[in-house]
Amino acid sequence: MNKTDPAVEARRPKGSFFRTKKFLIAIAVVVVIVIALAVGLGVGLTRNREGGDDGKSKYPPLSGPPDIPPYNVSNLWQPAVGTPWQIILKKPIVPVSNGSDITPYETVYDLDMADHSADTFAKLRAAGISIICYFSAGSWENWRSDKDQFPAADLGKVLNGWPNEKWLNVSSPAVRDIMKARIKAAASKGCTAIDPDNVDGYDNDNGLGLTGEEAADYVKFLATEAASYNMSTGLKNAGALIPRVINFVQFSVNEQCIQFAECKNFKPFIDANKPVFNIEYPPSAPNVPANVAADICSHQGKAAYTEGFSTVIKTLDLMGWVQYCDGKTFNTSTVTTFTNSRGASS
Ligand SMILES: *[C@@H]1O[C@H](CO)[C@@H](O)[C@H](O)[C@H]1NC(C)=O
Ligand SMILES: *[C@@H]1O[C@H](CO)[C@@H](O)[C@H](O)[C@H]1NC(C)=O
Ligand SMILES: *[C@@H]1O[C@H](CO)[C@@H](O)[C@H](O)[C@H]1NC(C)=O
Ligand SMILES: *[C@@H]1O[C@H](CO)[C@@H](O)[C@H](O)[C@H]1NC(C)=O
Ligand SMILES: *[C@@H]1O[C@H](CO)[C@@H](O)[C@H](O)[C@H]1NC(C)=O
């Protein structure tokens, strides 16, 4: 995932809404919240994964027919359209006694692969919960335990808004070997599927000349590796790749397509009977006014083409709080003290 950059917001095309007082107030609220988070947490916005994509895609969809996987995808976990889900990346969830005591219960969980133990995953799996394991496949993160294995030549520019991460050369055999090892680790931890993030470097100032074609090849590589362990794969954002990779992936994980009015790009997943796990980050979260939630859940206006989407409303820090379109909210328990693999605790 990338980041919400108020400067990017400010560069958006000036429709009527963007000239209103409401818009200026919204910008001011975002700025205040960002500053409050940065100051209040005392850690900046960089230590752990947080939500926010870079903005509307600038890259045109790849052309050509969808590629056909060289293996039988019908054996893989294929969640149904509309499957409810929860995503928590900031901290590990509290280890559960038997899995079924987690709230919300009957959902899919998207969790950081490295931050959880196989034991926690085993308890969730025993309770019938499917686990999507998050890792960054397209960025180098300076706190991961395997960070020193990446050749310096494979690191590109720093991610906009994420000073502890750099874009990766996704064509590099060395990078791919490291990702193979991560996927193997995901399998041995009991992940049902993988959520490889930051495969949209081609749509960002990456310093490596990354192209959409390279990214599509990379997604197919990741999905093929995962499938060799009977794990499914999601396409994270990267709408331009859909025409080429949709047969390789079993779901979409999307950030802010409603905010950016680009959900139409992800509708091909619904048409292929594959869910779109969509996250929206209204600045008011976790106190979302009813009209804001109603707009997000309306399937109209900016939310056009979202019929069947599995939408969650989250705060940018991707903690345990979540709101669904049926109005229900939950606050999944996370550990209070967390020492991540970089050694910093919060
Ligand atoms: C793929 O697997 C499914 C389920 O096991 C099976 O029914 C189908 O015949 C397989 N297809 C091919 C082409 O092997
Ligand atoms: C592969 O995963 C699917 C879905 O989780 C499961 O039904 C199937 O039993 C698994 N196959 C093997 C060989 O483990
Ligand atoms: C699992 O834990 C919950 C909450 O502690 C409890 O209500 C339930 O009975 C437990 N289920 C089993 C199978 O132990
Ligand atoms: C990325 O890796 C590929 C494969 O090793 C190589 O051909 C290409 O030159 C690399 N790109 C950059 C910008 O270093
Ligand atoms: C969620 O619960 C945690 C404690 O587990 C609490 O610190 C946090 O404020 C709660 N979040 C919301 C939005 O209620």
Side-chain angles (χ1 to χ4, degrees):
M1 105 206 29
N2 302 325
K3 33 267 90 235
T4 287
D5 178 352
V8 171
E9 277 293 304
R11 283 198 303 272
R12 283 184 188 293
K14 300 281 186 286
S16 54
F17 170 73
F18 296 99
R19 291 197 219 100
T20 62
K21 261 188 209 159
K22 257 190 199 162
F23 177 64
L24 292 175
I25 290 166
I27 287 283
V29 167
V30 169
V31 167
V32 166
I33 287 171
V34 167
I35 290 171
L37 275 173
V39 172
L41 299 176
V43 296
L45 293 173
T46 57
R47 186 158 70 217
N48 294 309
R49 300 302 321 188
E50 292 180 9
D53 194 33
D54 221 10
K56 219 174 171 69
S57 176
K58 300 165 285 287
Y59 206 91
L62 298 185
S63 55
D67 295 332
I68 307 298
Y71 47 86
N72 192 343
V73 290
S74 59
N75 295 315
L76 297 173
W77 176 62
Q78 177 56 69
V81 164
T83 296
W85 74 305
Q86 159 71 307
I87 177 167
I88 303 166
L89 300 181
K90 178 80 170 174
K91 289 184 178 184
I93 60 170
V94 170
V96 281
S97 58
N98 63 27
S100 54
D101 56 358
I102 194 167
T103 55
Y105 170 39
E106 285 175 334
T107 61
V108 166
Y109 276 78
D110 190 329
L111 301 169
D112 188 287
M113 191 257 284
D115 289 347
H116 291 85
S117 67
D119 180 60
T120 297
F121 286 171
K123 285 172 177 159
L124 295 178
R125 291 290 290 268
I129 293 171
S130 299
I131 303 158
I132 299 173
C133 284
Y134 173 95
F135 61 92
S136 183
S139 79
W140 175 82
E141 301 162 307
N142 76 355
W143 67 94
R144 297 295 182 185
S145 60
D146 55 5
K147 66 181 166 51
D148 295 331
Q149 294 172 25
F150 291 85
D154 289 340
L155 310 185
K157 284 194 179 173
V158 169
L159 273 66
N160 181 24
W162 298 93
N164 295 330
E165 293 180 51
K166 292 178 178 175
W167 293 108
L168 285 171
N169 182 350
V170 300
S171 299
S172 157
V175 167
R176 290 185 176 205
D177 281 349
I178 294 164
M179 296 307 154
K180 273 189 190 178
R182 287 186 180 181
I183 291 167
K184 187 178 179 186
S188 61
K189 276 203 178 172
C191 304
T192 316
I194 58 168
D195 173 17
D197 196 10
N198 294 311
V199 294
D200 58 352
Y202 62 85
D203 211 4
N204 290 275
D205 183 17
N206 60 71
L208 296 160
L210 298 172
T211 66
E213 287 293 339
E214 280 181 289
D217 188 70
Y218 191 49
V219 168
K220 290 188 287 175
F221 156 77
L222 295 165
T224 302
E225 277 301 305
S228 75
Y229 297 103
N230 198 34
M231 290 188 297
S232 299
T233 297
L235 178 67
K236 181 63 159 285
N237 297 318
L241 309 185
I242 294 171
R244 294 292 290 285
V245 306
I246 188 151
N247 288 334
F248 279 74
V249 293
Q250 286 69 46
F251 54 92
S252 155
V253 181
N254 164 268
E255 294 176 284
Q256 295 155 288
C257 76
I258 296 174
Q259 181 185 333
F260 300 149
E262 58 184 8
C263 295
K264 189 179 184 180
N265 296 348
F266 301 92
K267 187 175 176 293
F269 275 95
I270 303 296
D271 296 340
N273 292 316
K274 298 177 180 185
V276 177
F277 295 121
N278 160 246
I279 315 168
E280 297 295 325
Y281 306 105
S284 51
N287 301 300
V288 186
N291 64 313
V292 172
D295 282 351
I296 288 172
C297 299
S298 69
H299 309 310
Q300 287 168 18
K302 293 173 121 190
Y305 303 101
T306 58
E307 280 89 357
F309 281 29
S310 302
T311 293
V312 289
I313 298 173
K314 298 282 297 184
T315 54
L316 264 173
D317 61 8
L318 288 170
M319 281 286 283
W321 182 87
V322 62
Q323 181 171 332
Y324 295 97
C325 279
D326 63 6
K328 288 191 180 134
T329 63
F330 296 90
N331 188 2
T332 306
S333 300
T334 53
V335 300
T336 46
T337 306
F338 173 49
T339 302
N340 70 18
S341 46
R342 181 146 48 113
S345 64
S346 58

